[in-house]
Amino acid sequence: MKFANWKKALMAGLAVVAMAAVLTGCGGGDNTAEKKFLNIGTGGTAGTYYPIGGAMAEVLNKDIPGMNASAQSTGASVANINMLKDGSVDLAIVQNDITYYAVNGTEMFKDKKVESLKGIATLYPETCQAVTLDSSGIKTIADLKGKKVAVGAAGSGVEANARQILEAYGVTYNDIQPQYLSFAEAANALKDGNIDAAFLTAGYPTSAVQDIASQHKVRLLPVDADKADALIAKYPFYTKTVIPAGTYAGFEEEVPAVSVMAMLVANDKVDDSLGYAIAKAIFGNLDRIHAAHSAAKAILKEKALEGMPLPVNAGAEKFFKE
């Protein structure tokens, strides 16, 4: 009898273990799910990337069992590519043009090609804006010949955008007097009359341009459709954008422009199944993402592959094509 009782107890115990395994396999063991740690590279705490990255971390933690994601303040796009490369972050928000340069080994990544990056999604446009004062008489980008033009900080993504857009109009740095200035420096120089125009790349309305418009009537220079098409053919990370009339005080004209896209990039720690889960969590909780920052309202599932400059994580791609 003792042996029979022991045998019954053993069988009952094995049944419990088997049932636990079944429940875990069915998702009933979320509290014992394997821990997944993800660092998300963003930008400065005062910028756009940081709050959006924080909202992404929240929804990943809520929707993916065992996920422990955190947003990290960084030096933004170029720094984020280098952090993805060395594994100090696993996901990062990066401009798609900077990603293109990294995977192709051009511009600031010349001879420093970065392997093993995959796209998760493109997010929202960061518009290339060419700004002048209305009083300058400059109406087109071709009119910048012979002028003092702020083209962004040396070696920056803005500087590459400025050079490429000028090139579409047959204008080189030999034809202008390039000034390597940050947004804030360019705004002050334009207000003070020390430059004639400035390029900047940012979501609109941009505070630096609002600052100028608060004191002077500004004009945004258009990128004509044929020039935009030529740019996109050569540099596939550009997309067409229209800056609405009235975006800046006193300037009531609609302006065709081009944009690069903020995008979410992953390194090879993010496998296809995790890529699928990340895309599903983010695009299944867009109300939370949109609430993080006004720029995030442009993040939409149907536009998530526009301006994609590199191969997409197969799991994320599966999600978008379902």
Side-chain angles (χ1 to χ4, degrees):
M1 287 294 292
K2 284 183 180 179
F3 176 76
N5 289 340
W6 175 84
K7 188 176 178 182
K8 283 181 183 177
L10 176 63
M11 295 304 290
L14 289 173
V16 169
V17 170
M19 182 58 72
V22 169
L23 287 173
T24 300
C26 293
D30 284 356
N31 59 339
T32 59
E34 182 187 349
K35 281 286 183 187
K36 304 177 187 75
F37 293 90
L38 281 183
N39 288 326
I40 305 173
T42 62
T45 54
T48 309
Y49 291 0
Y50 186 72
I52 293 174
M56 288 178 174
E58 280 184 29
V59 301
L60 297 184
N61 290 337
K62 179 172 75 74
D63 274 30
I64 302 176
M67 177 56 69
N68 188 336
S70 58
Q72 186 173 331
S73 176
T74 71
S77 292
V78 174
N80 286 348
I81 291 287
N82 289 322
M83 293 172 80
L84 284 166
K85 182 181 179 181
D86 69 25
S88 51
V89 300
D90 315 297
L91 277 178
I93 303 175
V94 184
Q95 282 184 199
N96 67 339
D97 53 339
I98 305 298
T99 307
Y100 178 89
Y101 304 144
V103 298
N104 289 284
T106 58
E107 294 291 347
M108 68 287 292
F109 289 96
K110 186 170 176 59
D111 302 322
K112 294 182 286 186
K113 189 173 180 179
V114 181
E115 309 280 359
S116 304
L117 298 182
K118 291 289 173 68
I120 298 294
T122 52
L123 301 174
Y124 62 89
E126 299 193 54
T127 302
C128 305
Q129 301 168 68
V131 188
T132 187
L133 301 186
D134 191 63
S135 57
S136 71
I138 297 168
K139 298 288 177 68
T140 73
I141 289 169
D143 294 342
L144 295 176
K145 284 187 176 182
K147 306 295 186 184
K148 285 185 180 178
V149 182
V151 294
S156 67
V158 177
E159 188 270 321
N161 297 148
R163 184 164 19 90
Q164 291 156 4
I165 293 167
L166 288 165
E167 177 190 278
Y169 281 83
V171 179
T172 71
Y173 282 2
N174 292 330
D175 300 314
I176 64 171
Q177 298 175 55
Q179 311 291 308
Y180 299 94
L181 305 174
S182 70
F183 289 4
E185 290 167 340
N188 288 330
L190 204 51
K191 287 188 293 187
D192 296 341
N194 293 328
I195 60 171
D196 301 297
F199 282 92
L200 54 94
T201 300
Y204 60 78
T206 307
S207 57
V209 183
Q210 289 175 314
D211 179 39
I212 303 163
S214 69
Q215 298 179 36
H216 303 273
K217 189 173 182 184
V218 299
R219 172 168 291 280
L220 300 182
L221 305 179
V223 176
D224 301 299
D226 61 328
K227 302 297 191 292
D229 290 338
L231 266 174
I232 293 165
K234 187 168 184 180
Y235 305 106
F237 46 79
Y238 282 112
T239 59
K240 289 182 179 178
T241 301
V242 175
I243 303 172
T247 295
Y248 297 109
F251 186 61
E252 297 300 328
E253 296 177 30
E254 189 176 83
V255 180
V258 291
S259 296
V260 293
M261 298 292 288
M263 66 174 295
L264 194 61
V265 183
N267 62 15
D268 53 9
K269 179 178 172 180
V270 177
D271 62 20
D272 294 347
S273 61
L274 185 53
Y276 180 92
I278 288 168
K280 183 178 180 182
I282 290 171
F283 286 87
N285 291 276
L286 281 180
D287 54 341
R288 174 66 191 94
I289 305 297
H290 290 171
H293 193 281
S294 58
K297 290 179 172 61
I299 300 175
L300 300 168
K301 183 179 178 183
E302 58 269 25
K303 292 182 174 291
L305 298 177
E306 286 186 9
M308 179 62 71
L310 79 170
V312 183
N313 173 284
E317 187 170 34
K318 179 186 174 188
F319 171 76
F320 293 121
K321 291 186 173 178
E322 280 179 347

